[in-house]
Amino acid sequence: MSDVAEKAGVSRALVSIVFRDRPGASQETRERVLRIADELGYRPDNAARLLARGRSRTLGVLLTVHQPFDADLVEAIYPEAERLGYDVLLSANAPGRSEQKAVEALLSHRCEALILLGPASDPAYLDALGQRTVAASIGRRIEGARIDNVHTAEGKGVREAMAHLVGLGHRRIVHVDGGRDPGSAERRRAYRAAMRRHGLADETRVLPGRHTEDAGIAAARLLLAESSLPTAVLASNDRCALGLLMTFTRAGIEVPGDISIVGYDDSHLSHLMPVGLTTVRQDPALLAERAVRFVVERLEGQGVEPQEAVLDPKLVVRASTAVPRDGEPSTGAAAPRSRVELPQGHR
């Protein structure tokens, strides 16, 4: 502003008045100041202006690299944050970069609140973080931590997927676990409970895994090395399902002819597979809207206590599930006649 003021022959205070569009400068002076600022390539620093008022109006978002569903969530966070007058700053958790380091980077850039996508940190750390700043978790419920929680009813999603598979006639259904990744414990418990509910407790089998393609590849190789395959696999998420599908296909196993596969998330990855993936859909737009709204409400003084939102999932049936070769579909809503097809590219 000093450079603009010197070239325009006015005071720095008058330049500030022009840029803030406040009364006190003639139209001629206003036009001259703006023209000179344009010539000099000067742009007002809105961030500095907000910080001078004690606000940054910026929400920090922690995401994990290579997680397609995190990308879907970020895509949905931007418009909701901007609608409420906030900017968004991203920081990634990646190999060699801890979640805590990513969080501290956001705080060092004066983010007013944090939105954590599937945080893996222990509850004690997240509770301490919630004492320092306003924060929300998407995809993982953190019990006892002072942060907002926004997640899908994991158990309901798994129950719908299992009812679909059992309705098609599957009995030998394996679950590839997600390890300690977000939502995995709830999905694992729901799978075991569903197997008991459908009278299949003796067929229960959980393979260790993670929310990655490598976990799906490892699980598929393990199953291929055995004397017989299960008729269906419930994967921990869409990435794991992709690893399963590609490995089985390369080994000459037909999906769903020889084995059915179900994923979880309905991320954009599910639309890119060679076989349309049956999966449990989480709504990224609604998850993002709730999380942004929760933290903004607390920032704006509309609420003090953290909130929780539990959203309903939806089973999306595509081409990766079918009646097993040696079975017949059961009666009920999960039979093939209730198939739900979403348009290609739908999210």
Side-chain angles (χ1 to χ4, degrees), residues 63-288:
L63 69 152
T64 300
V65 173
H66 301 314
Q67 280 294 358
F69 193 65
D70 281 11
D72 294 346
L73 287 168
V74 169
E75 188 176 75
I77 286 170
Y78 270 106
E80 182 63 17
E82 290 172 357
R83 185 182 72 82
L84 296 174
Y86 285 78
D87 289 329
V88 174
L89 184 64
L90 305 179
S91 186
N93 168 36
R97 190 171 194 252
S98 69
E99 193 167 281
Q100 289 81 2
K101 186 173 182 178
V103 165
E104 292 303 323
L106 292 171
L107 293 175
S108 71
H109 284 84
R110 299 176 183 262
C111 292
E112 291 191 49
L114 302 180
I115 298 176
L116 314 174
L117 309 187
S121 297
D122 63 76
Y125 169 79
L126 294 171
D127 181 53
L129 180 63
Q131 303 292 337
R132 295 170 60 192
T133 188
V134 173
S137 167
I138 297 182
R140 178 190 171 196
R141 185 173 186 270
I142 317 296
E143 294 188 31
R146 190 175 175 75
I147 65 176
D148 297 299
N149 287 280
V150 181
H151 58 95
T152 298
E154 308 282 358
K156 182 177 181 180
V158 170
R159 286 194 296 273
E160 290 186 5
M162 293 295 292
H164 169 67
L165 290 172
V166 172
L168 288 171
H170 293 279
R171 293 182 58 81
R172 289 180 293 126
I173 306 169
V174 170
H175 176 48
V176 181
D177 189 16
R180 298 181 62 185
D181 289 335
S184 298
E186 293 86 350
R187 296 173 198 178
R188 179 171 56 249
R189 285 195 295 267
Y191 160 77
R192 293 183 183 277
M195 292 294 279
R196 291 193 298 270
R197 186 180 307 110
H198 291 290
L200 303 175
D202 291 344
E203 300 286 351
T204 300
R205 186 180 182 189
V206 177
L207 299 181
R210 289 200 63 189
H211 289 344
T212 65
E213 294 87 354
D214 286 345
I217 292 169
R221 287 175 175 169
L222 176 64
L223 293 172
L224 287 168
E226 297 176 352
S227 58
S228 64
L229 287 172
T231 62
V233 179
L234 173 66
S236 63
N237 75 338
D238 291 349
R239 289 182 65 193
C240 179
L242 175 60
L244 285 159
L245 192 153
M246 297 304 294
T247 305
F248 284 136
T249 300
R250 289 168 181 166
I253 304 299
E254 293 183 9
V255 177
D258 297 315
I259 190 167
S260 290
I261 298 175
V262 178
Y264 204 108
D265 283 342
D266 195 30
S267 65
H268 66 268
L269 185 67
S270 65
H271 311 284
L272 304 177
M273 298 187 188
V275 176
L277 181 67
T278 295
T279 184
V280 177
R281 184 174 193 266
Q282 301 191 78
D283 189 333
L286 200 52
L287 290 165

